[in-house]
């Protein structure tokens, strides 16, 4: 009796299980597409799976130095021209250094201008007056020497007085030669080597300012070519790392026209 009941129960259970599975299966009703699939106007066509890409290939935009992003000029989908600004980094320290170098340049230029404008017109009359004073002192010393030497009676004058007047005469000659030399130097203007040194200082200061301007300009990223911003991961306040990254800051490409790569099995 038991041998007959067990197979019957198993068969009934299997039938019930099949009915339950059939009832729980989802019913998929056929749907009509919203539009007909595209058709080719050519008689013969070749189909294939491919990739649509920019004709310039994707250009990963990075930055020359690392820094915090302070300006963002574009967004994804914008068309940009070659050299157009993309984003800028914090440049406050470099701009402060630029002001210091500009001040040094102005000082160097002022020193060179001072040398080139020598002699000043108002400096010459006092120098000429010193020459006339020295000439008068020399003439007076010469008179004093002649007077004392003209005394025939040597007992009337001391030898010490004679030597003193002769020394005063030589000192007056030296003083006249000194002030005449100073007047000549003044009228000749600045010494050529001094002007050359001043010009060299100006050129060095100009180079320092140019370097500061270049360092500031490097903090602004510009489009290397005309194209479209395909992807933008730059955010204001973000610290942008320079060099190759696993995820580029921006992706730029030229999409006019697009390039299509298709693998076709012949």
């Amino acid at each position: 009796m038991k041998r007959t009941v067990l197979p019957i129960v198993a068969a009934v259970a299997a039938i019930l299980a099949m009915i339950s599975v059939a009832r729980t299966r989802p019913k998929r009703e056929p749907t009509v597409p919203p539009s007909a699939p595209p058709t080719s106007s050519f008689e013969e066509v070749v189909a294939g799976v491919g990739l649509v890409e920019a004709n310039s290939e994707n250009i990963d935009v990075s930055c020359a130095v690392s820094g915090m992003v302070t300006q963002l000029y574009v967004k994804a989908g914008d068309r940009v021209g070659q050299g157009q600004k993309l984003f800028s980094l914090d440049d406050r320290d470099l701009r402060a250094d630029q002001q210091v170098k500009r001040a040094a340049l102005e000082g160097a230029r002022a020193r060179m201008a001072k040398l080139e404008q020598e002699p000043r017109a108002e400096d010459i009359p006092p120098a000429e007056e010193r020459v006339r004073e020295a000439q008068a002192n020399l003439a007076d010393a010469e008179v004093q020497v002649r007077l004392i030497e003209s005394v025939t009676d040597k007992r009337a004058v001391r030898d010490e007085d004679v030597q003193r007047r002769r020394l005063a005469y030589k000192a007056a000659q030296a003083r006249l030669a000194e002030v005449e030399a100073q007047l000549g130097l003044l009228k000749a203007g600045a010494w050529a080597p001094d002007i050359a040194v001043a010009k060299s200082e100006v050129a060095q200061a100009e180079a320092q300012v140019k370097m500061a301007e270049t360092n500031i300009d490097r903090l602004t990223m510009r489009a290397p070519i005309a194209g479209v911003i395909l992807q933008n991961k730059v955010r204001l306040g973000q610290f942008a790392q320079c060099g190759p990254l696993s995820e580029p800051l921006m992706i730029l490409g030229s999409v006019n026209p697009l390039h299509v790569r298709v693998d076709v099995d012949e």
Side-chain angles (χ1 to χ4, degrees):
M1 182 68 179
K2 290 182 180 180
R3 293 180 179 179
T4 306
V5 173
L6 288 176
I8 294 174
V9 173
V12 172
I15 293 171
L16 293 175
M18 293 174 63
I19 294 173
S20 177
V21 170
R23 287 181 177 179
T24 56
R25 290 181 59 185
K27 295 182 179 180
R28 302 182 182 275
E29 298 180 356
T31 59
V32 179
S35 61
T39 59
S40 175
S41 59
F42 301 98
E43 295 181 358
E44 297 181 359
V45 297
V46 176
V49 178
L51 174 67
V52 179
E53 62 181 4
N55 63 70
S56 62
E57 297 187 356
N58 291 346
I59 299 175
D60 295 345
V61 178
S62 183
C63 48
V65 295
S66 301
M68 184 178 67
V69 178
T70 55
Q71 294 289 337
L72 182 60
Y73 306 103
V74 296
K75 61 182 182 299
D78 287 351
R79 291 186 176 274
V80 296
Q82 185 176 8
Q84 183 174 336
K85 293 181 179 180
L86 303 178
F87 62 93
S88 297
L89 305 181
D90 186 11
D91 59 357
R92 288 173 294 179
D93 55 339
L94 293 182
R95 290 198 178 277
D97 181 64
Q98 182 189 39
Q99 294 300 321
V100 173
K101 288 181 169 57
R102 282 180 175 174
L105 174 59
E106 292 301 322
R109 285 175 174 171
R111 288 190 293 272
M112 186 180 70
K114 178 178 179 297
L115 290 175
E116 290 178 339
Q117 292 173 3
E118 291 183 356
R120 296 170 57 186
E122 57 270 25
D123 290 339
I124 294 179
E128 292 177 338
E129 186 63 29
R130 285 191 292 271
V131 170
R132 287 191 289 269
E133 180 184 1
Q135 289 173 342
N137 292 335
L138 177 61
D140 180 67
E142 185 178 2
V143 170
Q144 296 299 326
V145 169
R146 287 180 181 178
L147 284 175
I148 202 167
E149 287 180 347
S150 65
V151 177
T152 57
D153 189 356
K154 300 301 182 182
R155 293 174 298 177
V157 295
R158 295 183 302 175
D159 183 63
E160 179 183 353
D161 294 336
V162 174
Q163 294 299 327
R164 185 174 295 168
R165 293 192 181 185
R166 287 175 179 173
L167 291 174
Y169 176 70
K170 290 182 179 179
Q173 285 180 320
R175 176 58 181 169
L176 177 60
E178 179 185 1
V179 294
E180 286 179 339
Q182 291 175 351
L183 178 61
L185 287 174
L186 184 61
K187 289 183 176 181
W191 192 30
D194 288 341
I195 295 178
V197 171
K199 288 182 177 179
S200 176
E201 291 176 349
V202 170
Q204 183 178 3
E206 288 176 342
Q208 291 290 334
V209 171
K210 184 64 177 178
M211 182 173 65
E213 292 174 349
T214 300
N215 289 335
I216 291 175
D217 186 67
R218 292 176 66 213
L219 295 181
T220 298
M221 308 310 120
R222 302 176 185 272
I225 64 170
V228 175
I229 304 298
L230 303 177
Q231 187 181 79
N232 176 32
K233 296 295 183 181
V234 180
R235 300 293 181 268
L236 290 176
Q238 168 188 351
F239 187 84
Q241 291 283 358
C242 65
L245 303 173
S246 58
E247 186 175 15
L249 299 174
M250 280 189 183
I251 297 179
L252 172 70
S254 176
V255 296
N256 188 17
L258 287 170
H259 279 186
V260 180
R261 289 190 297 172
V262 179
D263 295 331
V264 179
D265 295 332
E266 296 183 356

